[in-house]
Amino acid sequence: MKREVRRKWAGFLFVLPGLLSYLIWTLYPIIKSFLMSLYKWNINPRIPNEFVGLSNYVKLFHDDKFYTALINTLKYVIVTVPGQMIIGLLIAVLLTRGLKGQTFFRLLYYLPVITSWVVVSVLFQYLFATRGGLVNYLLKDLLHLINRDIRWLAQENTAMIPIYVLGIWKGIGWSMLIFLAGLQGIPKQLYEAARIDGANGWMLLRKITIPMLRPVIAFQTVMLTIGGFNVFLSVYVITGGGPRNSTQVLSSYMFKEAFDYFHFGYGAAIAVIFFLIVFTIAQIQRKLFKREIY
Amino acid sequence: MKKKIMDLIIYTLLFIGAIIMCFPFYYMVVTSLKESAYIFTVPPQMIPKPATFENYKTVWVEADFKLYFLNSLKITLPAVLLNVFLSSLTAYGFARFKFPGKELWFSVLIATLAVPGLLLIIPQFDMIRKVPFFMDNPLTIVLTSGIGGIAFNAFFLRGFFESIPRELEEAAELDGCGIFKTYWHIAMPLARPALATLVIMSFLGVWDDYFWPSLILRDKRDWTLPIGILGFRAQHGVQWHLLFAGTIIAILPVLIIYFMFQKYFVKAVAEGGLKI
């Protein structure tokens, strides 16, 4: 009996430091976010903040820059999520054919995933530089597809492209790795049986591989969508949201309002709406993929 | 014959893919070895001629990258230790003991996994700036990075602790081993593969973090590598040869860890990915 009581306390003591720091550093800030969005926050911490009700939200719904940021974020998700998954699946399928050097290729394809966002963003800024940038050199001087250098980052209609390309390039490896694990779970007999029935490679992919991978595809869609909504550093480093705020995404716009202008209440309102959108989309996706096992 | 041609096509595709994935890195290395006159030539040099290590020396000594590197190290190592230690305590508590409200607490922990970190950063910053001691203090980054991600880590490790047979720990306790000693000397060594994975994930997270440290560490002498890289770019514009020498210094430790522990990596991503 005494041992039971002691173990109860011991368990509590084990989880206490972790739980306590979690309450202070995660749970409390979540609640605080909602509260802050109802105030006009003062830069000077000593001056009391002014309660303004929902007026931050009213302002938000009339803010063109917010809509631009929202649309850019959605576009980023729509372009990069399928982009990463299609290429990731393709590579995974090629890699599972039992050729030599699988580990080596896997290692290389995964390299961008582990490299810091700051570093690869700076790198892509250089690759897409107008004069002397590698991409323009490739398109103009090597392939002769264009006859003048494209000012990728200076024009509103092209500035998102390097950000899309970076997002896909950096995420392919992760998608590939998850698909590889999924592919290993498909029984080989399925393929053998289908081959005997005369199915070709394309049919195998469509009728066996993709249906069998449904849970993996569902999982990746949800995870990559959440990740895509969080796009921040690539925009912040490569374009800084410009030219003329045309590449601003939700997180970079929030950062700008909160930490460039110190509009903490307004920034918190953006964060709350941002959270609600991600949460809703994740829930819808979960419903759509309900049949799949997580 | 047909199979051979097929294999050849696949190899070609894989090679082209690998070149696309790795070429930007190669180009970064090449640029970091160029002299400044050669960084914007058309056609771009694919092999630096003349090649020089001077850029590395310049950023390491004159551009303070040595300082940033040491700052990054001083923050990352204790933060990772704290993070893994706290996570393992929490996970062990949930895995091995019964106490009131246990499952409720655990589900609260899990429920917030999907909350984007961005949502938290404004109130977190507001909390920190109210205490002057915490502003411009590297200790703040150690502590806050050390407790970030505990929810996910505890979730990840709990399963692992539960999969270890209980008998060993029970035997140790019967021999008079205290509860904490049992955790430290029996359970922790058995959990080594999972802990290694956690150390790597945690290291990457802290080492590469830019957003949060840049808000707290405003003094140049406290900057970490990511802040230093963007700070250098802001100051020296497009001196790419120097900038890339700096970025290579920043990713080198990550690459070394990646190539050393890539087995753990692959397992962690594949298993962790499918379990969540």
Side-chain angles (χ1 to χ4, degrees):
Chain A
M1 191 61 209
K2 211 176 150 200
R3 183 174 173 271
E4 284 290 296
V5 175
R6 207 177 64 216
R7 284 190 66 86
K8 203 195 272 178
W9 278 104
F12 200 68
L13 285 178
F14 264 102
V15 300
L16 191 65
L19 266 190
L20 211 58
S21 49
Y22 166 81
L23 287 179
I24 297 169
W25 201 240
T26 304
L27 210 56
Y28 172 70
I30 290 176
I31 299 162
K32 190 76 189 275
S33 262
F34 285 94
L35 292 177
M36 283 180 89
S37 70
L38 304 175
Y39 283 83
K40 186 170 182 293
W41 216 253
N42 252 307
I43 304 173
N44 186 336
R46 266 162 297 186
I47 301 173
N49 306 305
E50 183 193 342
F51 183 79
V52 292
L54 291 174
S55 76
N56 279 327
Y57 291 95
V58 174
K59 197 176 137 205
L60 192 65
F61 290 123
H62 292 97
D63 183 352
D64 285 340
K65 282 187 217 152
F66 169 72
Y67 286 109
T68 311
L70 180 61
I71 289 167
N72 280 336
T73 311
L74 290 172
K75 275 194 200 157
Y76 180 84
V77 170
I78 291 168
V79 173
T80 58
V81 173
Q84 293 169 75
M85 284 171 64
I86 291 168
I87 304 175
L89 177 62
L90 199 76
I91 296 173
V93 169
L94 291 181
L95 280 180
T96 38
R97 292 184 59 106
L99 296 179
K100 271 186 196 153
Q102 209 219 68
T103 320
F104 170 72
F105 280 116
R106 201 177 54 193
L107 206 67
L108 292 184
Y109 285 119
Y110 203 69
L111 211 54
V113 183
I114 56 140
T115 317
S116 104
W117 273 104
V118 168
V119 171
V120 291
S121 300
V122 170
L123 179 58
F124 267 61
Q125 194 196 7
Y126 179 54
L127 296 180
F128 280 90
T130 308
R131 197 180 59 87
L134 198 64
V135 175
N136 273 344
Y137 170 72
L138 203 69
L139 294 177
K140 194 183 81 171
D141 302 288
L142 226 53
L143 300 172
H144 300 290
L145 291 174
I146 51 174
N147 45 29
R148 262 195 314 143
D149 283 336
I150 297 177
R151 295 160 62 232
W152 294 103
L153 302 172
Q155 309 175 118
E156 290 185 17
N157 55 345
T158 55
M160 277 307 277
I161 294 174
I163 292 164
Y164 295 148
V165 176
L166 173 55
I168 294 175
W169 176 80
K170 198 173 188 305
I172 289 173
W174 184 81
S175 176
M176 169 205 73
L177 214 55
I178 307 277
F179 274 131
L180 274 176
L183 286 171
Q184 273 158 15
I186 304 178
K188 294 248 169 0
Q189 296 91 311
L190 279 180
Y191 290 107
E192 283 157 18
R195 270 218 190 84
I196 291 168
D197 290 345
N200 61 25
W202 175 242
M203 279 159 79
L204 293 180
L205 184 72
R206 270 196 47 210
K207 298 289 181 193
I208 299 178
T209 310
I210 293 180
M212 289 297 283
L213 284 178
R214 272 187 67 108
V216 184
I217 293 172
F219 168 73
Q220 285 203 20
T221 310
V222 175
M223 295 302 280
L224 290 177
T225 303
I226 294 174
F229 267 95
N230 277 306
V231 56
F232 171 67
L233 272 173
S234 54
V235 173
Y236 180 78
V237 173
I238 296 178
T239 65
R244 285 175 299 282
N245 286 314
S246 62
T247 57
Q248 213 72 267
V249 289
L250 285 173
S251 54
S252 63
Y253 186 50
M254 185 214 80
F255 180 89
K256 194 173 174 155
E257 285 291 327
F259 298 107
D260 285 355
Y261 304 137
F262 288 101
H263 296 157
F264 278 7
Y266 195 57
I270 299 174
V272 168
I273 295 294
F274 176 75
F275 166 68
L276 290 178
I277 294 171
V278 176
F279 186 75
T280 313
I281 290 181
Q283 290 308 315
I284 292 172
Q285 286 180 338
R286 289 223 163 104
K287 281 260 153 59
L288 286 178
F289 293 127
K290 207 174 168 184
R291 291 186 297 140
E292 323 301 343
I293 322 134
Y294 273 94
Chain B
M1 191 61 198
K2 203 183 152 204
K3 191 179 179 302
K4 273 216 173 121
I5 295 174
M6 203 56 195
D7 283 358
L8 196 69
I9 295 173
I10 290 172
Y11 265 127
T12 315
L13 285 175
L14 284 175
F15 262 112
I16 294 173
I19 288 171
I20 294 174
M21 297 308 275
C22 295
F23 194 78
F25 292 112
Y26 172 76
Y27 200 53
M28 178 160 75
V29 175
V30 168
T31 309
S32 76
L33 298 173
K34 287 180 187 173
E35 287 179 1
S36 65
Y38 296 94
I39 48 175
F40 275 128
T41 54
V42 178
Q45 282 186 327
M46 292 302 164
I47 296 161
K49 217 158 97 191
T52 170
F53 272 104
E54 208 52 38
N55 300 328
Y56 287 86
K57 232 163 96 189
T58 309
V59 291
W60 186 255
V61 180
E62 285 165 39
D64 284 334
F65 270 69
K66 184 182 170 190
L67 180 70
Y68 305 149
F69 190 90
L70 291 177
N71 285 341
S72 275
L73 217 55
K74 273 186 218 155
I75 285 176
T76 308
L77 294 183
V80 169
L81 286 182
L82 179 69
N83 183 270
V84 174
F85 179 58
L86 269 184
S87 304
S88 72
L89 277 181
T90 314
Y92 192 72
F94 278 118
R96 281 295 189 250
F97 301 95
K98 286 200 190 90
F99 51 89
K102 176 173 132 173
E103 290 310 322
L104 177 75
W105 281 118
F106 195 70
S107 51
V108 172
L109 218 60
I110 297 307
T112 52
L113 274 184
V115 176
L118 231 45
L119 181 68
L120 310 177
I121 218 145
I122 297 176
Q124 283 171 343
F125 180 73
D126 194 57
M127 282 160 80
I128 293 297
R129 72 173 186 153
K130 282 192 179 125
V131 189
F133 172 76
F134 284 129
M135 277 310 277
D136 300 305
N137 189 344
L139 184 68
T140 310
I141 309 298
V142 173
L143 294 176
T144 54
S145 304
I147 58 181
I150 280 190
F152 176 79
N153 296 347
F155 169 73
F156 176 81
L157 272 182
R158 180 187 178 171
F160 202 90
F161 279 129
E162 278 171 351
S163 71
I164 303 173
R166 240 174 221 276
E167 288 74 32
L168 271 173
E169 288 156 70
E170 278 168 357
E173 258 187 75
L174 282 180
D175 286 345
C177 201
I179 290 171
F180 186 82
K181 266 193 167 169
T182 309
Y183 147 79
W184 190 251
H185 290 293
I186 310 286
M188 284 297 264
L190 286 172
R192 211 178 281 149
L195 292 173
T197 309
L198 220 55
V199 167
I200 295 167
M201 291 197 304
S202 176
F203 180 88
L204 286 189
V206 184
W207 186 264
D208 291 340
D209 198 12
Y210 166 79
F211 196 18
W212 177 244
S214 78
L215 293 175
I216 305 297
L217 306 174
R218 293 168 302 184
D219 190 331
K220 210 167 174 284
R221 278 165 302 178
D222 293 331
W223 280 5
T224 56
L225 281 165
I227 312 175
I229 289 170
L230 292 187
F232 181 85
R233 188 189 64 153
Q235 222 174 25
H236 300 279
V238 285
Q239 291 191 295
W240 298 104
H241 53 305
L242 294 175
L243 190 59
F244 288 142
T247 57
I248 286 169
I249 290 172
I251 61 173
L252 218 52
V254 173
L255 289 183
I256 291 170
I257 289 180
Y258 171 60
F259 283 112
M260 274 170 59
F261 295 100
Q262 57 113 354
K263 260 188 211 145
Y264 285 122
F265 247 96
V266 171
K267 256 187 83 166
V269 175
E271 283 175 7
L274 287 178
K275 265 185 198 160
I276 298 169

